Amino acid sequence: MAAEPAEIAIEAIDVWKEFGHVQALRGASIAVRRGEIVGLVGDNGAGKSTLVKCIAGINTIDSGEVLCDGEPVDIHGPKDASRLGIEIVYQDLALCDNLDVVQNMYLGREAHDRIHRLNEAEMEKKTAETMASLSVTTIRSIRQTVATLSGGQRQSVAVARAVHWNSRIVILDEPTAALGVAQTRQVLDLVARLAQQGLAVVLISHNLHDVFEVATRITVLRLGRNVGVYEREKTTQQEVVSAITAGVPTKIAGIPETSG
């Protein structure tokens, strides 16, 4: 059954994006409810990263619209997205290896006291609270430098940083890439906890096993278009793979018919 509009935290409708002569998106759409994990899958060049970058304000859309809680919003840059509670965790994590966990959590947003000194005590306290709220227990000390952390621990810091700033929508770009089995399990458990806390989560991944592990719905893009939205419990990996490799663009409300 379709979600009621009030349940949808973030929705991109009929998004078109062109880079020079390359039409990256051709009416792509995605909707994510509060407390839901939606897997966004597709082959290389399908438009996955372009679509989420439009939502996160990295790319400006040529046409189409983005709705938060059912209301149209204008997103002209990352700061606009952050104000709406949209945070994206990129595959490279954008962490500084030479800084510790607390410093990475507050990078560029440091807390200061009344005479403009760094408020280390407040930053440590709130970092510890965020880590505890997400049940991140594998990091020995929040004063460890990121360079000493494993891949799974680094991913946990990047996700915690996104959640730390009152985000409501978290977009994860290939969060388990290059991780071992145990570290992948750790990250997937963390992703599941985000949804349990009521956040809307978009999970981009080439690993369908990971997607089927945590996602409730799966949106498939092919050549910049939607080719299907699948309920995880009512589909198979084989069906999704077929959509990724040979799917026929679907007619979705708000998307005009296209040829080719």
Side-chain angles (χ1 to χ4, degrees):
M1 186 174 68
E4 294 294 329
E7 295 180 349
I8 297 175
I10 185 76
E11 186 172 15
I13 302 174
D14 193 15
V15 177
W16 291 72
K17 181 62 183 177
E18 183 180 84
F19 297 101
H21 297 295
V22 177
Q23 191 72 54
L25 295 176
R26 308 180 183 202
S29 298
I30 188 171
V32 192
R33 306 163 190 159
R34 291 187 291 273
E36 178 184 43
I37 301 169
V38 171
L40 181 59
V41 302
D43 210 345
N44 290 334
K48 307 182 300 297
S49 293
T50 302
L51 179 57
V52 297
K53 285 179 179 178
C54 287
I55 295 172
I58 309 301
N59 295 331
T60 55
I61 64 176
D62 296 335
S63 66
E65 61 180 343
V66 176
L67 282 67
C68 281
D69 296 325
E71 297 293 328
V73 293
D74 292 320
I75 301 176
H76 300 293
K79 288 186 177 179
D80 290 337
S82 293
R83 280 192 288 269
L84 292 166
I86 301 168
E87 296 284 345
I88 184 166
V89 179
Y90 295 101
Q91 191 171 349
D92 64 6
L93 303 183
L95 298 175
C96 294
D97 285 354
N98 61 317
L99 301 181
D100 65 31
V101 174
V102 175
Q103 291 168 324
N104 269 281
M105 291 280 279
Y106 279 86
L107 192 61
R109 311 187 209 186
E110 291 82 1
H112 296 86
D113 62 18
R114 286 180 297 178
I115 57 174
H116 302 293
R117 294 175 303 186
L118 286 177
N119 193 331
E120 298 284 357
E122 179 185 346
M123 292 190 290
E124 277 194 23
K125 178 176 179 288
K126 291 188 175 179
T127 295
E129 288 173 352
T130 298
M131 291 293 186
S133 74
L134 295 173
S135 301
V136 177
T137 58
T138 60
I139 296 175
R140 176 174 50 81
S141 168
I142 56 176
R143 282 303 183 181
Q144 278 183 264
T145 58
V146 164
T148 67
L149 302 180
S150 69
Q153 290 170 330
R154 291 163 62 91
Q155 187 67 245
S156 296
V157 172
V159 172
R161 181 174 63 184
V163 173
H164 188 71
W165 298 104
N166 297 317
S167 60
R168 299 162 50 249
I169 299 121
V170 176
I171 301 167
L172 304 168
D173 188 1
E174 299 285 354
T176 59
L179 296 184
V181 174
Q183 294 178 353
T184 294
R185 177 75 270 156
Q186 172 188 334
V187 171
L188 291 179
D189 287 345
L190 177 57
V191 172
R193 286 195 290 274
L194 297 181
Q196 289 165 7
Q197 292 191 5
L199 278 70
V201 181
V202 177
L203 172 63
I204 301 174
S205 181
H206 281 94
N207 190 320
L208 286 184
H209 178 78
D210 291 351
V211 172
F212 271 74
E213 182 85 10
V214 294
T216 50
R217 288 186 301 131
I218 301 163
T219 294
V220 183
L221 297 184
R222 185 168 186 266
L223 301 176
R225 300 171 178 172
N226 291 76
V227 293
V229 179
Y230 300 88
E231 298 286 339
R232 180 193 62 189
E233 296 180 352
K234 298 178 182 178
T235 189
T236 64
Q237 290 193 33
Q238 183 178 357
E239 185 177 20
V240 172
V241 168
S242 178
I244 291 171
T245 57
V248 177
T250 54
K251 182 68 182 79
I252 297 177
I255 298 181
E257 297 284 1
T258 56
S259 58

